[in-house]
Amino acid sequence: MQRTALFAGSFDPITNGHLDVVGKAVHLADRLVLAIGVHPGKTPLFSADERLAMANEICVPLGRAAGCEVTCTTFADLVVTAARRAGATLSVRGVRDATDFDYEMQMAGMNATMAPEVQTLFLPAAPMVRPITATLVRQIAGMGGDVAAFVPAQVAAALRKKFAKS
């Protein structure tokens, strides 16, 4: 039986922290679905299509190298609904610190009540990516800072292009 995991997030943009989680998850599942959240009440820096394109370009090869099928999709409903749609029995969550852990424990409890067949799996962030957040990356890039240490090269280029238009 194929083990499918879902890694959901906004990925606005994909950071090296996200890649740390993907790099670990591809060794735990036969198939990893990167689910990019689309929330009508939020205005992301990158459109859903841009985030999906970056995810495909960056994450699919990581899965291929590990022998794991990685697919990328968008979703606008509950994570557990997206997990069921993908056939996932694992929901992968990266945890950087105690604050993340407390929040993720609450979410895991709620999700377990709604979808007991989907188990949440916490993956601790590697020390060098713990301080990275997409919010901080956007802020640094927006103020002209160099984000090359925090994101893949393709994302750094996309951020430079995005903010050059501003």
Side-chain angles (χ1 to χ4, degrees), residues 70-88:
V70 173
T71 58
C72 304
T73 189
T74 59
F75 74 104
D77 48 8
L78 295 171
V79 169
V80 293
T81 304
R84 285 178 172 148
R85 193 168 39 253

mmCIF file of all heavy atoms in Angstrom, residues 70-88:
data_model
loop_
_atom_site.group_PDB
_atom_site.id
_atom_site.type_symbol
_atom_site.label_atom_id
_atom_site.label_comp_id
_atom_site.label_asym_id
_atom_site.label_seq_id
_atom_site.Cartn_x
_atom_site.Cartn_y
_atom_site.Cartn_z
ATOM 1 N N VAL A 70 6.476 13.458 -5.823
ATOM 2 C CA VAL A 70 6.007 14.716 -5.251
ATOM 3 C C VAL A 70 5.070 15.374 -6.251
ATOM 4 O O VAL A 70 5.419 15.522 -7.421
ATOM 5 C CB VAL A 70 7.171 15.674 -4.907
ATOM 6 C CG1 VAL A 70 6.646 17.041 -4.466
ATOM 7 C CG2 VAL A 70 8.050 15.074 -3.824
ATOM 8 N N THR A 71 3.882 15.703 -5.779
ATOM 9 C CA THR A 71 2.942 16.453 -6.598
ATOM 10 C C THR A 71 2.575 17.724 -5.837
ATOM 11 O O THR A 71 2.617 17.758 -4.609
ATOM 12 C CB THR A 71 1.663 15.648 -6.910
ATOM 13 O OG1 THR A 71 1.030 15.270 -5.689
ATOM 14 C CG2 THR A 71 1.973 14.400 -7.712
ATOM 15 N N CYS A 72 2.244 18.752 -6.583
ATOM 16 C CA CYS A 72 1.887 20.032 -5.981
ATOM 17 C C CYS A 72 0.498 20.421 -6.441
ATOM 18 O O CYS A 72 0.140 20.213 -7.600
ATOM 19 C CB CYS A 72 2.908 21.101 -6.385
ATOM 20 S SG CYS A 72 4.609 20.671 -5.970
ATOM 21 N N THR A 73 -0.264 20.971 -5.515
ATOM 22 C CA THR A 73 -1.637 21.356 -5.807
ATOM 23 C C THR A 73 -2.002 22.569 -4.965
ATOM 24 O O THR A 73 -1.254 22.950 -4.071
ATOM 25 C CB THR A 73 -2.604 20.181 -5.534
ATOM 26 O OG1 THR A 73 -3.906 20.505 -6.014
ATOM 27 C CG2 THR A 73 -2.673 19.837 -4.056
ATOM 28 N N THR A 74 -3.143 23.143 -5.253
ATOM 29 C CA THR A 74 -3.664 24.216 -4.412
ATOM 30 C C THR A 74 -4.930 23.706 -3.725
ATOM 31 O O THR A 74 -5.538 22.734 -4.180
ATOM 32 C CB THR A 74 -3.994 25.481 -5.233
ATOM 33 O OG1 THR A 74 -4.962 25.144 -6.227
ATOM 34 C CG2 THR A 74 -2.752 26.065 -5.878
ATOM 35 N N PHE A 75 -5.291 24.370 -2.627
ATOM 36 C CA PHE A 75 -6.536 24.030 -1.944
ATOM 37 C C PHE A 75 -7.083 25.270 -1.273
ATOM 38 O O PHE A 75 -6.330 26.170 -0.904
ATOM 39 C CB PHE A 75 -6.348 22.876 -0.944
ATOM 40 C CG PHE A 75 -5.632 23.263 0.326
ATOM 41 C CD1 PHE A 75 -6.347 23.431 1.509
ATOM 42 C CD2 PHE A 75 -4.261 23.438 0.349
ATOM 43 C CE1 PHE A 75 -5.696 23.789 2.683
ATOM 44 C CE2 PHE A 75 -3.598 23.796 1.521
ATOM 45 C CZ PHE A 75 -4.320 23.967 2.693
ATOM 46 N N ALA A 76 -8.400 25.313 -1.137
ATOM 47 C CA ALA A 76 -9.051 26.473 -0.516
ATOM 48 C C ALA A 76 -10.037 26.035 0.552
ATOM 49 O O ALA A 76 -10.939 26.784 0.916
ATOM 50 C CB ALA A 76 -9.754 27.321 -1.583
ATOM 51 N N ASP A 77 -9.859 24.818 1.054
ATOM 52 C CA ASP A 77 -10.750 24.304 2.093
ATOM 53 C C ASP A 77 -9.901 23.823 3.268
ATOM 54 O O ASP A 77 -8.758 24.248 3.410
ATOM 55 C CB ASP A 77 -11.660 23.203 1.519
ATOM 56 C CG ASP A 77 -10.912 22.151 0.693
ATOM 57 O OD1 ASP A 77 -9.663 22.173 0.666
ATOM 58 O OD2 ASP A 77 -11.576 21.308 0.075
ATOM 59 N N LEU A 78 -10.446 22.974 4.092
ATOM 60 C CA LEU A 78 -9.716 22.485 5.260
ATOM 61 C C LEU A 78 -8.552 21.586 4.848
ATOM 62 O O LEU A 78 -8.640 20.861 3.853
ATOM 63 C CB LEU A 78 -10.654 21.688 6.170
ATOM 64 C CG LEU A 78 -11.801 22.454 6.821
ATOM 65 C CD1 LEU A 78 -12.749 21.474 7.509
ATOM 66 C CD2 LEU A 78 -11.262 23.480 7.817
ATOM 67 N N VAL A 79 -7.494 21.599 5.639
ATOM 68 C CA VAL A 79 -6.351 20.724 5.379
ATOM 69 C C VAL A 79 -6.787 19.268 5.377
ATOM 70 O O VAL A 79 -6.350 18.489 4.517
ATOM 71 C CB VAL A 79 -5.226 20.969 6.418
ATOM 72 C CG1 VAL A 79 -4.166 19.895 6.332
ATOM 73 C CG2 VAL A 79 -4.609 22.341 6.210
ATOM 74 N N VAL A 80 -7.662 18.887 6.301
ATOM 75 C CA VAL A 80 -8.091 17.483 6.341
ATOM 76 C C VAL A 80 -8.900 17.118 5.095
ATOM 77 O O VAL A 80 -8.838 15.985 4.624
ATOM 78 C CB VAL A 80 -8.869 17.136 7.632
ATOM 79 C CG1 VAL A 80 -7.939 17.206 8.846
ATOM 80 C CG2 VAL A 80 -10.091 18.007 7.820
ATOM 81 N N THR A 81 -9.632 18.065 4.553
ATOM 82 C CA THR A 81 -10.367 17.822 3.311
ATOM 83 C C THR A 81 -9.380 17.633 2.166
ATOM 84 O O THR A 81 -9.540 16.721 1.340
ATOM 85 C CB THR A 81 -11.341 18.978 3.016
ATOM 86 O OG1 THR A 81 -12.208 19.135 4.140
ATOM 87 C CG2 THR A 81 -12.151 18.728 1.764
ATOM 88 N N ALA A 82 -8.358 18.472 2.122
ATOM 89 C CA ALA A 82 -7.315 18.332 1.099
ATOM 90 C C ALA A 82 -6.582 17.004 1.259
ATOM 91 O O ALA A 82 -6.254 16.345 0.266
ATOM 92 C CB ALA A 82 -6.339 19.499 1.176
ATOM 93 N N ALA A 83 -6.323 16.599 2.504
ATOM 94 C CA ALA A 83 -5.645 15.326 2.756
ATOM 95 C C ALA A 83 -6.497 14.158 2.265
ATOM 96 O O ALA A 83 -5.993 13.248 1.588
ATOM 97 C CB ALA A 83 -5.339 15.173 4.244
ATOM 98 N N ARG A 84 -7.762 14.180 2.588
ATOM 99 C CA ARG A 84 -8.649 13.113 2.110
ATOM 100 C C ARG A 84 -8.695 13.070 0.587
ATOM 101 O O ARG A 84 -8.634 12.000 -0.007
ATOM 102 C CB ARG A 84 -10.058 13.305 2.667
ATOM 103 C CG ARG A 84 -10.193 12.925 4.116
ATOM 104 C CD ARG A 84 -11.589 13.180 4.620
ATOM 105 N NE ARG A 84 -11.782 12.644 5.955
ATOM 106 C CZ ARG A 84 -12.582 13.182 6.851
ATOM 107 N NH1 ARG A 84 -13.299 14.261 6.571
ATOM 108 N NH2 ARG A 84 -12.704 12.628 8.050
ATOM 109 N N ARG A 85 -8.800 14.240 -0.041
ATOM 110 C CA ARG A 85 -8.860 14.309 -1.500
ATOM 111 C C ARG A 85 -7.586 13.711 -2.113
ATOM 112 O O ARG A 85 -7.634 13.058 -3.148
ATOM 113 C CB ARG A 85 -9.038 15.766 -1.931
ATOM 114 C CG ARG A 85 -9.406 15.975 -3.354
ATOM 115 C CD ARG A 85 -9.857 17.392 -3.702
ATOM 116 N NE ARG A 85 -9.138 18.481 -3.062
ATOM 117 C CZ ARG A 85 -9.626 19.245 -2.080
ATOM 118 N NH1 ARG A 85 -10.853 19.073 -1.623
ATOM 119 N NH2 ARG A 85 -8.898 20.205 -1.561
ATOM 120 N N ALA A 86 -6.451 13.931 -1.466
ATOM 121 C CA ALA A 86 -5.164 13.427 -1.958
ATOM 122 C C ALA A 86 -4.929 11.962 -1.591
ATOM 123 O O ALA A 86 -3.964 11.361 -2.059
ATOM 124 C CB ALA A 86 -4.035 14.285 -1.400
ATOM 125 N N GLY A 87 -5.790 11.409 -0.742
ATOM 126 C CA GLY A 87 -5.578 10.043 -0.270
ATOM 127 C C GLY A 87 -4.475 9.948 0.764
ATOM 128 O O GLY A 87 -3.876 8.885 0.961
ATOM 129 N N ALA A 88 -4.190 11.055 1.444
ATOM 130 C CA ALA A 88 -3.110 11.099 2.430
ATOM 131 C C ALA A 88 -3.564 10.568 3.782
ATOM 132 O O ALA A 88 -4.664 10.875 4.236
ATOM 133 C CB ALA A 88 -2.597 12.533 2.587
#
